[in-house]
Amino acid sequence: MGKLASDGFDPQAFLSRVGAGKTILKFEKNQPIFKQGDVADAVFYLQKGSVKLTVLSGQGREAVVGILEPGQFFGEGCLNGHPLRIATTTAMEASVVTSITKQAMIAALHSEPKFSKLFMAYLLTRNSRIEEDLIDQLFNSSEKRLARLLLLLAHFGKEGRPQPILLDVSQETLAEMIGTTRSRVSYFMNKFRKLGLISYNGKIEVHNSLLNAVLREKPEIEREDPSSAV
């Protein structure tokens, strides 16, 4: 019989501390957290840093399918019966991760409503993002997909001024995430800069004008290059 829920339960404290079935792990830049095909027996929560998710096809092609930031879970597929990892996760910078065994995760979800609510909110947000990404891939050009990705990475909309992209994301990674080549990304980035949609000041800064261009029915970013729908 599971323990009764505690009214004083703090989900963030639960996720940030070592406890039964929980371990705090530290990873250096480019260090894998788990690899595609590994046994799936734990859920992870990113406390600090950033994590890249990649998938390798049977033909040997690798694709970046997501970039995680603090406050996000990953590896939750084990809760749905996945015996093996379907993706590889790699730290993009020095990162701190909480590892929660499958058993401990299920127990917390059953006994702590506050934690269950937090995890459910994450799942709903992630599901909405996956749907938006699928629509983006199906109907938008690679140029417009890049513009949307830059806006997402900059968390645009939280402030009314240019927003820097704090993550160190290479053009190759951006290309893998939107399904095009690095040379195309380089071309689009230079084009965005010349149009005043982004700027470089140590970090890439995203301007209001990029959001306006994406929202227009015939965005300015697509007018000069008919071949951008790659």
Side-chain angles (χ1 to χ4, degrees):
M1 182 176 179
K3 72 181 183 64
L4 295 176
S6 169
D7 290 338
F9 180 81
D10 182 347
Q12 294 301 329
F14 171 79
L15 289 166
S16 63
R17 297 172 185 168
V18 173
K22 293 184 298 172
T23 307
I24 307 300
L25 306 172
K26 295 183 179 180
F27 296 90
E28 299 300 322
K29 182 177 181 180
N30 296 326
Q31 184 178 358
I33 298 168
F34 58 74
K35 295 183 178 180
Q36 187 172 334
D38 285 353
V39 173
D41 56 4
V43 178
F44 297 87
Y45 177 80
L46 183 57
Q47 291 192 40
K48 179 182 178 182
S50 57
V51 171
K52 177 173 66 174
L53 278 69
T54 58
V55 174
L56 189 67
S57 74
Q59 293 73 41
R61 292 186 61 187
E62 185 177 76
V64 177
V65 295
I67 292 179
L68 305 177
E69 296 179 328
Q72 293 184 289
F73 293 89
F74 58 102
E76 70 276 8
C78 67
L79 301 177
N80 195 35
H82 290 173
L84 302 176
R85 300 297 185 190
I86 61 174
T88 294
T89 55
T90 307
M92 298 180 67
E93 58 187 332
S95 301
V96 178
V97 174
T98 303
S99 173
I100 311 168
T101 64
K102 178 180 177 180
Q103 293 77 11
M105 189 72 179
I106 292 173
L109 290 171
H110 284 172
S111 64
E112 301 294 351
K114 290 181 180 178
F115 181 66
S116 182
K117 182 178 180 180
L118 174 73
F119 187 64
M120 182 64 71
Y122 156 76
L123 291 178
L124 291 172
T125 300
R126 182 182 176 201
N127 186 63
S128 295
R129 172 67 187 274
I130 290 172
E131 289 180 352
E132 292 168 359
D133 287 349
L134 177 59
I135 292 170
D136 192 40
Q137 288 286 345
L138 289 173
F139 297 111
N140 290 328
S141 70
S142 55
E143 185 175 10
K144 195 168 182 180
R145 294 200 302 271
L146 176 61
R148 175 177 174 268
L149 178 58
L150 293 175
L151 289 165
L152 289 171
L153 290 174
H155 301 288
F156 207 89
K158 292 187 177 180
E159 301 289 343
R161 58 179 182 274
Q163 295 296 294
I165 295 176
L166 301 179
L167 292 175
D168 184 15
V169 184
S170 68
Q171 290 189 356
E172 183 176 5
T173 295
L174 292 174
E176 290 175 346
M177 293 186 73
I178 65 171
T180 189
T181 63
R182 192 205 63 78
S183 62
R184 297 302 291 163
V185 167
S186 178
Y187 173 83
F188 296 144
M189 293 289 282
N190 286 328
K191 183 177 177 181
F192 293 170
R193 182 176 54 80
K194 290 177 182 177
L195 289 171
L197 306 178
I198 64 173
S199 60
Y200 296 97
N201 186 20
K203 296 285 186 181
I204 299 171
E205 289 191 341
V206 177
H207 295 212
N208 277 321
S209 50
L210 183 62
L211 177 61
N212 294 335
V214 169
L215 292 177
R216 293 192 192 110
E217 288 187 6
K218 294 182 179 180
E220 183 179 8
I221 60 174
E222 295 185 344
R223 288 177 184 165
E224 297 182 1
D225 182 31
S227 66
S228 65
V230 175

